[in-house]
């Protein structure tokens, strides 16, 4: 069974840092691009960042460029999101998501994790 | 960035009704349009990809159509478990991937 399990969400002060993790299982991790998508309380979905299957390409929404870094560890089948200089507007549930098609990047999101909550206090 | 606009923002319907949700892109996205269902406290679920392809395991009462800038999600006969929020998403001109604002489908 394909599964994604996020962890690392917490309450953090404005300007602080946090690293989210997403452990993948049930598929060939290196064959699929992965993304982070967030949802602020009571709001819609916002794509945050993506990384290609082999990790050669990374992408970010403008609002997090220079502050967030996406990466992946193939030995651990784990996706990461390093978040620095956190702002109140980064408060959200963060989901990791697996692309639908092998070899594609920034595709439909076939599988989602359960989400992890990040709260930035001001 | 491509803007995605859904209509309506909310909708009340009854079990057994036929429901249509519309998504409009600010420029042509060919058929790079995907639909998701999200229930409260849960992660989104992929329903339709490439505008009209039904994701594996999704009931056939869900269907999608459209190309270019205008797309629709249709539920042919609403079931109790279909009451949720629906999002469209474009994967044509990226980054960034962009979502519609969501359509909340409520029980009448």
């Amino acid at each position: 069974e394909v599964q994604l399990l996020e962890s690392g969400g917490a309450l953090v002060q404005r300007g602080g840092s946090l690293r989210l993790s997403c452990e993948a299982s049930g598929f060939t991790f290196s064959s699929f691009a992965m993304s982070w998508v967030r949802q602020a309380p009571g709001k819609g979905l916002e794509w945050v960042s993506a990384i290609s299957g082999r990790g050669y390409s990374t992408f970010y929404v403008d609002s997090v460029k220079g502050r967030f870094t996406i990466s992946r560890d193939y030995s651990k089948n784990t996706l990461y999101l390093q978040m620095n200089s956190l702002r109140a507007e980064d408060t959200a549930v963060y989901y990791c998501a697996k692309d639908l098609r092998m070899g594609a990047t920034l595709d439909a999101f076939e599988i989602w994790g359960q989400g992890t909550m990040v709260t930035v206090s001001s | 960035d491509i803007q995605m606009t859904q209509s309506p923002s909310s909708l009340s319907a009854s079990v057994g009704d036929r429901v249509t949700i519309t998504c409009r892109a600010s420029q042509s996205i060919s058929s790079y349009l995907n639909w998701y269902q999200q229930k409260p406290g849960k992660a989104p679920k992929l329903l339709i990809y490439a505008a009209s392809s039904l994701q594996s395991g999704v009931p056939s009462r869900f269907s999608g159509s459209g190309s270019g800038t205008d797309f629709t999600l249709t539920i042919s006969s609403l079931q109790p478990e279909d009451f949720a929020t629906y999002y469209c998403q474009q994967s044509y001109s990226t980054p960034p991937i962009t979502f519609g604002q969501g359509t909340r489908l409520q029980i009448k």
Side-chain angles (χ1 to χ4, degrees), chain A residues 19 22-25 29 72-80:
Chain A
R19 187 178 81 159
C22 170
E23 185 174 354
S25 60
F29 187 58
R72 57 197 302 169
D73 183 332
Y74 299 94
S75 67
K76 297 180 179 179
N77 278 3
T78 300
L79 174 74
Y80 299 103

Side-chain angles (χ1 to χ4, degrees), chain B:
Chain B
D1 298 356
I2 296 178
Q3 308 303 315
M4 307 300 294
T5 303
Q6 291 181 231
S7 60
S9 294
S10 64
L11 172 62
S12 294
S14 301
V15 172
D17 283 354
R18 180 182 180 90
V19 167
T20 298
I21 298 169
T22 297
C23 179
R24 175 165 289 176
S26 59
Q27 63 188 74
S28 177
I29 58 170
S30 184
S31 296
Y32 289 81
L33 191 284
N34 311 302
W35 289 98
Y36 300 86
Q37 176 193 67
Q38 187 180 32
K39 296 182 179 179
K42 300 294 186 182
K45 173 186 175 182
L46 178 64
L47 300 175
I48 301 285
Y49 63 94
S52 60
S53 295
L54 191 68
Q55 172 64 355
S56 175
V58 174
S60 59
R61 63 181 179 273
F62 290 92
S63 63
S65 65
S67 66
T69 60
D70 295 317
F71 302 86
T72 59
L73 172 70
T74 299
I75 309 171
S76 60
S77 179
L78 270 175
Q79 299 302 301
E81 60 269 29
D82 299 337
F83 293 94
T85 300
Y86 293 84
Y87 294 93
C88 63
Q89 171 230 332
Q90 68 85 17
S91 53
Y92 175 74
S93 178
T94 58
I97 279 177
T98 48
F99 291 88
Q101 82 278 14
T103 294
R104 186 179 179 190
L105 178 53
Q106 298 175 283
I107 300 173
K108 183 182 287 184

Side-chain angles (χ1 to χ4, degrees), chain A residues 7-21 36-38 48-49 60 63-71 80-87 89-95 116-120:
Chain A
S7 61
L11 172 64
V12 62
Q13 287 192 332
R14 185 180 58 185
S17 297
L18 206 57
R19 187 178 81 159
L20 306 183
S21 300
W36 289 97
V37 177
R38 67 184 178 185
V48 174
S49 181
Y60 301 92
S63 60
V64 308
K65 281 180 183 175
R67 300 189 299 122
F68 290 11
T69 302
I70 191 170
S71 62
Y80 299 103
L81 186 67
Q82 177 67 43
M83 304 186 294
N84 299 330
S85 303
L86 282 162
R87 305 168 180 169
E89 55 264 35
D90 296 319
T91 294
V93 174
Y94 284 72
Y95 297 99
T116 188
M117 184 70 205
V118 173
T119 304
V120 183

